[in-house]
Amino acid sequence: MQDTTVFVYGSLRKGEYNRGVVEPHILNTLGKGCIQGQMVSLGAYPAVLLDKPGVVVGEWLRVTARGMAALDRLEGYPTLYSKAHVWDAQNNIEGVVYYMTEQQLSRFLRGGRNGMVVPDGDWTAYRREQRLQQA
């Protein structure tokens, strides 16, 4: 296996609670970025639907093969999340992103869970706003 460029947009972003899963495997950070898609809050973490209009904010990382294996386990790949190749037009970077298909999202939501669209596609800003509203 080889190193991979990956776009992270939720709990794996810098400062978020799952960053420690990927941190030891980061070769370099390539900076913030945006991809096309719609972000949905699943409660504790988000999902992205690539076939919906919108923008998803995140960051680009270059990770080792071991890092990708750790991410596959965390993301429940290929059952809970799928992977796709995406392009960030703003920064001219391309790589892999974990996303949900409509079928995977429907299966997840069947358990009585709610999925709310994150309007600006920025998980970190959304969580910060949610904490302020609860305070």
Side-chain angles (χ1 to χ4, degrees):
M1 289 185 82
Q2 61 188 30
D3 304 337
T4 304
T5 301
V6 62
F7 183 77
V8 297
Y9 54 83
S11 67
L12 291 163
R13 285 178 64 183
K14 188 173 184 169
E16 292 292 335
Y17 61 91
N18 273 329
R19 182 59 170 228
V21 172
V22 73
E23 194 77 43
H25 308 288
I26 297 174
L27 296 170
N28 52 343
T29 57
L30 304 173
K32 292 182 180 180
C34 296
I35 63 168
Q36 291 186 354
Q38 182 182 72
M39 182 180 289
V40 178
S41 171
L42 302 178
Y45 52 90
V48 164
L49 301 167
L50 294 177
D51 60 347
K52 301 282 186 184
V55 174
V56 176
V57 177
E59 62 183 293
W60 289 97
L61 308 172
R62 187 84 180 149
V63 300
T64 64
R66 282 188 170 193
M68 285 307 293
L71 291 177
D72 282 353
R73 285 189 298 277
L74 176 71
E75 302 291 4
Y77 173 79
T79 306
L80 182 59
Y81 284 85
S82 294
K83 284 192 274 193
H85 193 83
V86 292
W87 182 57
D88 181 335
Q90 187 177 29
N91 297 309
N92 200 26
I93 299 174
E94 56 186 299
V96 172
V97 69
Y98 290 88
Y99 75 101
M100 277 190 178
T101 64
E102 290 283 346
Q103 184 179 18
Q104 287 167 318
L105 181 61
S106 293
R107 195 175 322 129
F108 181 86
L109 296 177
R110 250 186 256 143
R113 300 174 179 116
N114 290 322
M116 286 186 53
V117 173
V118 177
D120 61 358
D122 186 334
W123 182 249
T124 304
Y126 175 78
R127 285 192 12 103
R128 186 173 35 248
E129 188 173 312
Q130 293 296 310
R131 285 190 297 266
L132 288 173
Q133 289 177 1
Q134 292 172 356

